[in-house]
Amino acid sequence: MLCLSARHWALRLPHQLTLTSCLLLPSLALLSSGTSASVQAAQSEDKSRDLKRPGPRIAIIGSGVAAASAAYFLRDKFGSNCRMDIVTDESSATLVGGRLGVANFDGRKFESGGSIIHDKNLYMRHFADVLGLSRLYHGEETRLAVFNGRDTVLDTSDWYLVKMVQLLHRYGLAAFVQLRKFVSGMLEDFGRVYARQNAGQAYTNVLGLLSAMSDSFPAMATETIEKLLESSGFSSEFINELVAGAMRNNYGQNVSIHGFVGAVSLAGAEGGLWSVRGGNRLIVANLLSRLAQSQQADEAESGKVRLLLNSRVTQIAKDREGWTVTSTDASRSTVVEQYDQVILTVPPSQHFNIEIKDVKVPRVDYQTTVATFVKGRLNHDWLGLRSRQSEYSVLTGTPASPLDFNSIGYQHDVDKNPSDNVYKVFSQRVLTAEQVNQLFTNVESTHSVSWLAYPLYRRGLSINASFVLADGLYHTSPIELAASAMEMSAIAGRNAALLAFNDWTGKAAELTDPSGGGQPKPADQVLVQRDEL
């Protein structure tokens, strides 16, 4: 499943749901020595049937989750019959990770970007497992409070069972039963994407991908999460307190965001949340490094995978041979490379500055998120918190008055060790010293990390965007118009790899309804399907 709790807090149900999904993903022999000889032979035979000509040279621009996923699945599809360059402006292989980040603060390391992964994030889970990374599971570790700018409307106990009774007393059992039904139904529908991608299906745009999961998903993106939940019978208290708190924490926006991304934000209610020991960035950094080191000494040049660091791409242009990618390296020298296909994983945000000749990349407004790490004590009096001895996670529901912050969370480091009074505050602007001292007392130190985290999911945002910018030029970022999360990026990366593979091997587009009705689908929902599974 996707990282539906995209940040560091998740709304939990009174009872955990049983994990029923499982996925047998293709494991590269390069990354796992457990692949049997018969499986390797079958994979080799399958590739030999698909590849009627020498493999392509492919550039992957960017070094986040989508780039790592695309590289992994390209390697799986093409085997060694493909040369790849992963082009990034990061200065070190240990720093790649895109918007996954680690902050060094108070002598420890803390997650500064995407910090929680769901057990049904099947690609992220598979990457962690194949790399031998440890998963650290998260439970109910702090008190939960909801602050609306004037009052603390909810302040739970340290004790889990008492906390559940308090939640049920305020919002009613029906709300949590309905939420459980809402989330489990969405997760079941969402899980269809894995089987479809395992079958080689690729989608040319976001609407097609969402429709393949469920006919209801595109419609969810046309109304707000507030209206969607109201029509499902949820109370205004539940929506404006817990749901709004989850939206403001996970996406820095309110309940006016569209219904699909809102549902993504709520799916952490199912539990089973974890992070990687040492930091989630290790999934990307280790996967790309392992791929770049995987070729054998006697392997043909065609199978080479290069991780090109300190390379800032300035231009992508089509020519008769394919695509040229122009970049500047660490010495500021201009480098021009020729490729058959290009996969772009850089978000088209305000900072996007790559010239793509004769190709229009629709720009999207991304929201600035600031994570401020504070070593100090919560100002219990100002926030109206009852306990002075407990660590808190403070959500801000729909504010009764303007607030300078979206959430406050007590922090464990990347190895899940409790910190010494370190909190992380999410806001949309850098907090002033005065604002920090309003929220905390005895402040010893602070550290801020700012980045463009996700699109502004304002009303009217269209998700009808293409993953194909031109013949042989693919873009993963449009998936973020539906929802921005680690697993969504991993899905987009695999989709780009499948598009590239299917195009190169001449797989015909299937224009029939996947339900079997045989009716042509609209052009914007065309899927490319492998002939053989």
Side-chain angles (χ1 to χ4, degrees), residues 297-342:
D298 59 349
E299 190 172 45
E301 180 75 9
S302 62
K304 191 171 185 180
V305 180
R306 298 191 300 174
L307 180 57
L308 304 181
L309 301 168
N310 288 304
S311 298
R312 187 174 68 84
V313 175
T314 57
Q315 185 186 84
I316 303 171
K318 180 74 172 175
D319 62 19
R320 286 182 296 178
E321 302 299 320
W323 293 91
T324 58
V325 174
T326 304
S327 62
T328 56
D329 60 17
S331 64
R332 297 191 176 180
S333 299
T334 299
V335 178
V336 180
E337 297 272 6
Q338 187 75 40
Y339 299 96
D340 298 296
Q341 296 173 318
V342 176

Side-chain angles (χ1 to χ4, degrees), residues 330-380:
S331 64
R332 297 191 176 180
S333 299
T334 299
V335 178
V336 180
E337 297 272 6
Q338 187 75 40
Y339 299 96
D340 298 296
Q341 296 173 318
V342 176
I343 296 176
L344 180 66
T345 69
V346 180
S349 68
Q350 300 91 308
H351 292 172
F352 185 85
N353 57 4
I354 300 173
E355 178 191 5
I356 305 180
K357 286 199 166 184
D358 301 319
V359 175
K360 182 178 180 181
V361 180
R363 298 300 178 92
V364 177
D365 288 335
Y366 272 60
Q367 177 162 305
T368 298
T369 290
V370 181
T372 302
F373 294 88
V374 180
K375 182 176 175 63
R377 295 188 176 276
L378 279 176
N379 189 338
H380 295 79

Side-chain angles (χ1 to χ4, degrees), residues 68-316:
S69 175
Y72 178 88
F73 288 111
L74 282 171
R75 192 69 162 153
D76 177 70
K77 297 299 290 185
F78 283 103
S80 61
N81 194 30
C82 171
R83 177 171 176 177
M84 279 187 284
D85 286 346
I86 298 109
V87 189
T88 175
D89 60 1
E90 295 290 359
S91 59
S92 166
T94 60
L95 295 178
V96 300
R99 281 166 281 174
L100 301 184
V102 171
N104 294 302
F105 181 69
D106 194 39
R108 299 191 188 186
K109 294 181 178 180
F110 299 92
E111 295 281 6
S112 60
S115 55
I116 290 294
I117 304 171
H118 196 287
D119 241 354
K120 292 186 179 179
N121 288 192
L122 299 184
Y123 290 153
M124 295 300 288
R125 192 176 75 185
H126 176 72
F127 295 153
D129 289 347
V130 80
L131 292 166
L133 298 172
S134 299
R135 301 202 298 265
L136 302 173
Y137 282 86
H138 296 252
E140 297 288 340
E141 295 151 348
T142 62
R143 294 176 73 114
L144 172 64
V146 178
F147 180 68
N148 68 6
R150 285 201 304 253
D151 305 299
T152 294
V153 297
L154 178 70
D155 187 344
T156 66
S157 168
D158 292 298
W159 294 88
Y160 177 75
L161 291 178
V162 176
K163 180 186 295 185
M164 292 300 102
V165 171
Q166 291 172 316
L167 289 168
L168 292 173
H169 176 73
R170 182 163 185 84
Y171 303 110
L173 177 62
F176 292 99
V177 171
Q178 183 70 6
L179 180 64
R180 185 177 185 179
K181 180 180 178 182
F182 178 83
V183 169
S184 61
M186 182 190 177
L187 294 180
E188 181 179 352
D189 288 341
F190 188 92
R192 295 173 183 168
V193 72
Y194 300 113
R196 292 184 182 276
Q197 289 193 318
N198 276 350
Q201 293 179 5
Y203 301 89
T204 58
N205 83 25
V206 180
L207 277 179
L209 191 150
L210 291 186
S211 297
M213 300 178 203
S214 170
D215 290 338
S216 68
F217 282 179
M220 290 172 66
T222 64
E223 61 180 326
T224 66
I225 186 63
E226 180 179 29
K227 295 297 183 185
L228 187 65
L229 294 179
E230 282 179 352
S231 65
S232 298
F234 289 90
S235 70
S236 59
E237 279 186 339
F238 187 84
I239 294 171
N240 289 318
E241 293 175 8
L242 285 186
V243 175
M247 302 305 117
R248 287 172 60 82
N249 174 76
N250 293 340
Y251 288 106
Q253 297 167 62
N254 57 34
V255 289
S256 66
I257 67 176
H258 69 67
F260 184 80
V261 70
V264 163
S265 185
L266 290 175
E270 215 191 30
L273 306 178
W274 54 274
S275 59
V276 170
R277 183 183 297 278
N280 294 331
R281 173 185 269 177
L282 290 178
I283 290 179
V284 175
N286 289 8
L287 192 59
L288 290 178
S289 294
R290 190 82 66 88
L291 284 166
Q293 297 167 6
S294 62
Q295 56 269 2
Q296 303 298 320
D298 59 349
E299 190 172 45
E301 180 75 9
S302 62
K304 191 171 185 180
V305 180
R306 298 191 300 174
L307 180 57
L308 304 181
L309 301 168
N310 288 304
S311 298
R312 187 174 68 84
V313 175
T314 57
Q315 185 186 84
I316 303 171

